[in-house]
């Protein structure tokens, strides 16, 4: 059975989301490059350590998923990573954080160059995450929901010892997880964007109600289980976490998702802190880049480009008490080791990495 999601998704591009606005309602474009990197190389791209480069901006929630999964599975030696800066223009994400403004492996200034290397007339947004073939500098895929699934299923030869099983082997549990992930995506991951980019009052209010109805459902679901699928982390937790960790910093104010803050939802706030404090989750998050991206790039929502000073982040390190629910986050495996040199979040951009 294919691991492709049944609900299509589409990651950010240069305006913070690829979308159309028919009738003033946000609708995300679901088209992406469907090429896969697999063990058998059926699409022409076999799994091969050292051949590919993951390009993933820390600011982007969709890209943050791939950064987390790569780290949890221990794929650092097999799949290198390039990190564009948090802001960009209408053309592309850029490598402005690297010396000379060029990715040190691909030698390019803009991710757009890798897309054009394969599709000279590529008509859509230049999105992250993307995987690029270092042999010819051409993009392989930007199908980010499939990227993380394939890292779990196709790259197993290169997983670290003790890597967690992010996809359940039990078909019934997997079916339930797919259902949970669909709801999390449509109502929460994409729901915050539906609020933020609504083109009318009615569209915004409908989106707002949908979002908080789903957050209330998650508050109830997680009240008696430590993680979304039970006692151990799964892909579903990765997908929810990248929205929750941005909620108070950007979505509450910038996207008008303001019925309450994450810190005012006791179960979800404790759950998010539990994940944040696990190696592989919080240590991938750069709050300064997140805020800079949303408040600077979305000029139609925030024309002044002013970046808020808050919120206070110290609460992310407070005790969460979720251990009382039992379980083992790693499902019998082990936590990933220290973050690799050169891949650490900038000091002061995260309470785990103080100045």
């Amino acid at each position: 059975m294919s691991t492709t999601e049944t609900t299509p998704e589409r990651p950010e591009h240069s305006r913070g989301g690829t979308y159309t606005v028919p009738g003033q309602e946000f609708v995300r474009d679901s088209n992406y490059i469907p090429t896969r990197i697999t063990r058998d190389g059926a699409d022409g791209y076999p799994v091969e350590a050292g051949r590919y480069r993951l390009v993933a901006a820390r600011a982007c929630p969709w890209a943050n998923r791939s950064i987390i999964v790569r780290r949890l599975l221990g794929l650092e030696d097999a799949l290198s990573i390039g990190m564009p800066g948090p802001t960009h223009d209408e053309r592309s994400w850029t490598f402005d954080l690297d010396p000379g403004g060029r990715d040190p492996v691909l030698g390019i200034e803009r991710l757009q160059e890798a897309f054009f290397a394969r599709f000279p007339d590529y008509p859509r947004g230049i999105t992250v995450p993307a995987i690029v073939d270092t042999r010819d500098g051409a993009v392989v895929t930007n199908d980010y929901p499939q990227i993380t699934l394939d890292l779990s299923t196709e790259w197993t030869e290169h997983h670290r010892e003790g890597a967690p099983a992010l996809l359940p082997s039990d078909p019934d549990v997997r079916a339930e997880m797919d259902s949970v992930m669909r709801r999390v995506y449509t109502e929460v991951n994409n729901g915050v964007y539906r609020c933020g980019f609504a083109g009318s009052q009615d569209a915004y209010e409908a989106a707002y109600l949908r979002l908080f109805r789903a957050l209330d459902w998650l508050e109830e679901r997680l009240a008696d289980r430590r993680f979304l699928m039970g006692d151990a982390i799964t892909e579903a937790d990765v997908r929810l976490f990248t929205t929750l960790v941005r909620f108070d910093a950007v979505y509450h104010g910038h996207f008008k998702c303001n019925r309450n803050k994450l810190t005012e939802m006791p179960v979800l706030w404790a759950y998010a802190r539990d994940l944040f404090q696990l190696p592989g989750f919080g240590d991938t998050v750069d709050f300064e880049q997140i805020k800079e991206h949303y408040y600077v790039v979305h000029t139609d929502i925030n024309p002044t480009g002013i970046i808020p000073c808050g919120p206070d982040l110290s609460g992310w390190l407070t005790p969460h008490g979720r251990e009382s629910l039992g379980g083992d986050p790693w499902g019998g495996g082990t936590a990933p080791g220290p973050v690799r040199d050169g891949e650490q979040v900038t000091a002061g951009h995260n309470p785990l990495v103080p100045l």
Side-chain angles (χ1 to χ4, degrees):
M1 183 176 73
S2 171
T3 56
T4 303
E5 288 188 331
T6 57
T7 299
E9 301 187 27
R10 176 66 167 173
E12 295 193 354
H13 82 339
S14 58
R15 295 191 70 249
T18 303
Y19 58 89
T20 56
V21 191
Q24 306 300 305
E25 180 182 352
F26 175 96
V27 178
R28 189 175 292 276
D29 185 348
S30 62
N31 292 284
Y32 39 73
I33 302 168
T35 310
R36 294 176 60 193
I37 300 170
T38 56
R39 282 193 299 270
D40 62 9
D43 287 353
Y45 294 93
V47 170
E48 185 177 332
R51 175 172 171 177
Y52 305 101
R53 187 161 178 82
L54 173 66
V55 178
R58 290 192 190 276
C60 170
W62 321 100
N64 195 178
R65 294 182 183 182
S66 62
I67 298 172
I68 292 171
V69 170
R70 172 180 174 269
R71 175 150 157 64
L72 292 176
L73 299 179
L75 290 170
E76 291 93 336
D77 290 334
L79 180 64
S80 69
I81 192 167
M83 294 187 180
T87 63
H88 44 68
D89 56 25
E90 290 291 332
R91 290 171 57 193
S92 176
W93 294 85
T94 57
F95 294 96
D96 48 289
L97 300 179
D98 291 308
R102 289 184 178 273
D103 180 88
V105 172
L106 301 174
I108 58 177
E109 294 180 338
R110 295 174 173 274
L111 181 56
Q112 182 184 58
E113 297 173 53
F115 279 69
F116 287 173
R118 184 173 177 197
F119 305 106
D121 299 317
Y122 189 73
R124 298 186 176 277
I126 306 302
T127 67
V128 290
I131 296 183
V132 179
D133 190 339
T134 63
R135 293 185 177 185
D136 59 8
V139 68
V140 178
T141 181
N142 64 345
D143 184 354
Y144 81 99
Q146 192 63 48
I147 285 173
T148 53
L149 296 177
D150 284 343
L151 292 181
S152 279
T153 59
E154 302 295 327
W155 291 73
T156 52
E157 180 182 350
H158 304 289
H159 289 182
R160 66 178 176 87
E161 185 177 355
L166 298 178
L167 303 180
S169 57
D170 184 309
D172 292 334
V173 177
R174 176 60 192 275
E176 181 188 358
M177 188 182 81
D178 286 345
S179 176
V180 168
M181 291 196 303
R182 281 193 295 272
R183 188 170 181 182
V184 166
Y185 167 67
T186 59
E187 307 305 295
V188 181
N189 301 148
N190 195 49
V192 293
Y193 283 84
R194 194 181 294 112
C195 290
F197 289 115
S200 71
Q201 187 68 34
D202 287 346
Y204 163 70
E205 291 181 8
Y208 176 97
L209 291 173
R210 284 182 63 178
L211 169 65
F212 282 99
R213 189 180 302 120
L215 291 175
D216 289 341
W217 163 70
L218 287 166
E219 185 89 347
E220 181 178 347
R221 181 179 178 89
L222 288 163
D224 59 359
R225 66 180 80 197
R226 187 168 177 186
F227 304 106
L228 279 173
M229 299 311 301
D231 291 339
I233 58 170
T234 64
E235 170 95 8
D237 298 293
V238 175
R239 295 184 179 205
L240 178 57
F241 173 77
T242 59
T243 295
L244 295 183
V245 81
R246 287 162 173 77
F247 199 89
D248 287 3
V250 290
Y251 300 143
H252 178 270
H254 184 57
F255 278 178
K256 307 179 186 69
C257 302
N258 61 357
R259 189 192 74 179
N260 46 257
K261 298 177 181 178
L262 176 65
T263 56
E264 296 165 346
M265 304 184 75
V267 173
L268 277 173
W269 174 224
Y271 163 80
R273 299 200 316 277
D274 190 0
L275 291 175
F276 185 87
Q277 294 170 28
L278 293 176
F281 284 87
D283 55 31
T284 71
V285 175
D286 189 313
F287 285 105
E288 293 304 308
Q289 287 196 28
I290 289 168
K291 291 194 298 182
E292 185 177 356
H293 171 70
Y294 282 89
Y295 284 101
V296 171
V297 170
H298 298 162
T299 55
D300 45 351
I301 299 177
N302 187 44
T304 65
I306 294 172
I307 303 170
C309 294
D312 177 12
L313 301 175
S314 59
W316 282 101
L317 298 185
T318 59
H320 51 75
R322 300 281 292 177
E323 303 95 334
S324 64
L325 294 173
D328 170 12
W330 313 110
T334 60
V339 180
R340 295 292 181 91
D341 287 344
E343 296 187 9
Q344 299 96 334
V345 172
T346 302
H349 289 197
N350 179 322
L352 290 168
V353 191
L355 286 170

